[in-house]
Amino acid sequence: MDYQGRQRRLREVLSQHRLDALLISHLPNIRYLCGFTGSAGSLLVTKAGTVFFTDGRYTAQSRAEVEGARVVIARKAPLIATAEWLATNRGRFTGRKPCKIAVEAEHLTVATGGRLAKALPRAFRLQATSLLVERGRMIKDSEEIARIRKAVLLGSSLFDHMLRAIRPGTKEMDVAAELEYSARKAGAQEISFPTIIAGGKRSALPHGRASAAVIPSRGFVVCDYGVILAGYCSDMTRTVHVGRPPGEARRLYHVVREAQAAALAVVGPGIGIAKVDAAARKVLRKEGLAEYFTHSTGHGVGLEIHEAPRVAAGEKEVLRPGMVITIEPGAYIPGQWGVRIEDMVAVTERGCEVLTPTRKELIVI
Ligand code: ZN
Ligand code: ZN
């Protein structure tokens, strides 16, 4: 991975914002910038160099993984160790005073921020910043796309096995367990979020995590799951029907499928992201179902299952080659049923590539 290039681009952002350094506490951002995959660390990116702080549990791992940063094994919490390092090395920061040390407002708790401010000498001032690293992460390079593609294909390869577990009377949890076991056996590091298996009336819950409820003899089952492979997440949803679907159910399914196709059709470089959301919503509105589409059309996926950009109304972001997003419209009639169809898609120079290969015609079990 091009850690040096990522850090270089981040330094450009820092100088644009007149910041002297960025203190990163969000682990996916740390991984993105230096390769560390452990659970405790902080990364200080200054104009002159990058220093990574972790604790004694990660001595060997950090030496093996971290690229483009000096490693400091600290006895204290990594963030406090970073503050102490700044105090000791304040001579390296020349120029205007106080030095502005950016922190990640989205990821730093008020308590930790307070402790950090206390531990820093007066020559430094903390500056809240937002999504400086995440904005870079939106554009995936070819190595990242390759990893995402593999994660998506692994996720899709489990679909038929999962279908065989969906039978009337089976607990949703047992379907999820079967799926997750097969994911591990197939080489997934872990699942990317709690598996959603929502049958019958529960299919109307957009985030119906697999529960002890049983699959009914007739009705939709929303299956939304993902795996993590080499650090990168996959995310897909298919909705299947157990028993013969009534005409109304078929209609609902086909409208959602049409909405998903309409959104996919507008994905391409230079397209305002709100337009993608609007395309899906338009189809549902025409069928009188707009009020039942209660979430946004999609989200970015990468090292995290939900990351920038959001694919939603009012978003100002413009699609660029290298972005990987989901397209997942749905319609949920409370107390009755719900349908969602979700693919992952990569924005390319000329348009887009749908990464999820799984079929989308209504599957009847
Ligand atoms: Zn999903
Ligand atoms: Zn999703």
Side-chain angles (χ1 to χ4, degrees):
M1 290 287 179
D2 182 21
Y3 301 117
Q4 304 278 7
R6 293 171 183 177
Q7 291 184 22
R8 195 177 57 241
R9 286 189 287 280
L10 182 62
R11 282 196 181 91
E12 284 162 19
V13 174
L14 293 184
S15 72
Q16 281 162 19
H17 288 80
R18 299 174 155 273
L19 297 163
D20 295 287
L22 173 60
L23 172 46
I24 299 151
S25 51
H26 188 49
L27 289 164
N29 286 345
I30 292 174
R31 177 175 188 160
Y32 179 75
L33 290 165
C34 74
F36 178 70
T37 65
S39 66
S42 70
L43 191 72
L44 184 71
V45 179
T46 75
K47 286 174 192 162
T50 304
V51 191
F52 173 69
F53 301 84
T54 187
D55 62 45
R57 292 170 298 168
Y58 289 114
T59 306
Q61 186 177 328
S62 60
R63 299 243 144 88
E65 289 180 342
V66 173
E67 284 179 41
R70 235 188 80 205
V71 175
V72 173
I73 306 295
R75 286 177 188 276
K76 298 189 176 169
L79 271 179
I80 298 305
T82 312
E84 289 180 358
W85 185 92
L86 280 166
T88 315
N89 291 275
R90 76 182 92 169
R92 296 183 184 207
F93 293 83
T94 52
R96 62 180 179 272
K97 290 282 178 318
C99 284
K100 282 195 203 159
I101 308 295
V103 290
E104 302 176 290
E106 262 84 8
H107 307 295
L108 193 69
T109 64
V110 174
T112 310
R115 250 177 272 144
L116 199 55
K118 235 188 201 165
L120 274 180
R122 248 187 246 159
F124 297 101
R125 207 180 68 215
L126 296 180
Q127 170 98 33
T129 60
S130 197
L131 309 175
L132 294 184
V133 183
E134 283 86 343
R135 263 193 273 279
R137 280 174 50 195
M138 283 199 298
I139 309 296
K140 275 75 179 170
D141 62 29
S142 55
E143 210 174 335
E144 292 182 284
I145 302 259
R147 287 194 188 188
I148 290 171
R149 196 188 299 279
K150 279 189 186 157
V152 169
L153 291 179
L154 175 60
S156 294
S157 75
L158 309 171
F159 181 69
D160 285 331
H161 180 75
M162 182 201 62
L163 281 188
R164 284 193 286 279
I166 298 179
R167 282 182 301 265
T170 303
K171 279 185 199 155
E172 292 169 355
M173 271 179 193
D174 288 337
V175 177
E178 193 56 52
L179 171 78
E180 291 171 15
Y181 180 70
S182 67
R184 281 285 206 175
K185 293 288 271 186
Q189 274 175 295
E190 51 188 305
I191 52 167
S192 40
F193 57 91
T195 299
I196 291 171
I197 303 286
K201 284 182 182 165
R202 293 190 78 254
S203 64
L205 305 172
H207 266 191
R209 282 187 189 174
S211 74
V214 296
I215 305 289
S217 54
R218 205 170 179 212
F220 281 120
V221 184
V222 173
C223 310
D224 185 351
Y225 67 92
V227 298
I228 304 180
L229 192 61
Y232 284 79
C233 297
S234 79
D235 188 6
M236 66 176 276
T237 308
R238 289 294 182 268
T239 302
V240 300
H241 199 278
V242 179
R244 207 170 63 82
E248 271 295 280
R250 277 189 189 280
R251 179 181 155 262
L252 183 71
Y253 187 89
H254 288 290
V255 174
V256 172
R257 189 175 166 189
E258 215 184 290
Q260 206 247 359
L264 283 174
V266 297
V267 173
I271 302 295
I273 222 159
K275 270 193 185 160
V276 179
D277 184 83
R281 237 163 266 281
K282 189 178 166 193
V283 173
L284 289 158
R285 192 176 314 115
K286 214 172 58 196
E287 301 296 328
L289 292 166
E291 64 176 296
Y292 302 112
F293 178 21
T294 46
H295 52 76
S296 55
T297 292
H299 53 88
V301 188
L303 288 169
E304 290 179 275
I305 183 64
H306 292 119
E307 55 180 57
R310 283 184 69 225
V311 184
E315 290 294 318
K316 300 278 178 281
E317 197 62 59
V318 171
L319 291 174
R320 282 173 282 160
M323 284 183 173
V324 176
I325 55 174
T326 67
I327 299 292
E328 50 177 308
Y332 313 90
I333 321 289
Q336 201 178 348
W337 51 34
V339 172
R340 176 167 64 257
I341 300 171
E342 173 180 31
D343 287 329
M344 276 174 62
V345 50
V347 181
T348 61
E349 296 288 341
R350 293 189 173 176
C352 72
E353 181 193 346
V354 178
L355 301 174
T356 313
T358 308
R359 61 198 186 278
K360 284 186 266 196
E361 61 272 20
L362 179 57
I363 295 169
V364 177
I365 293 171

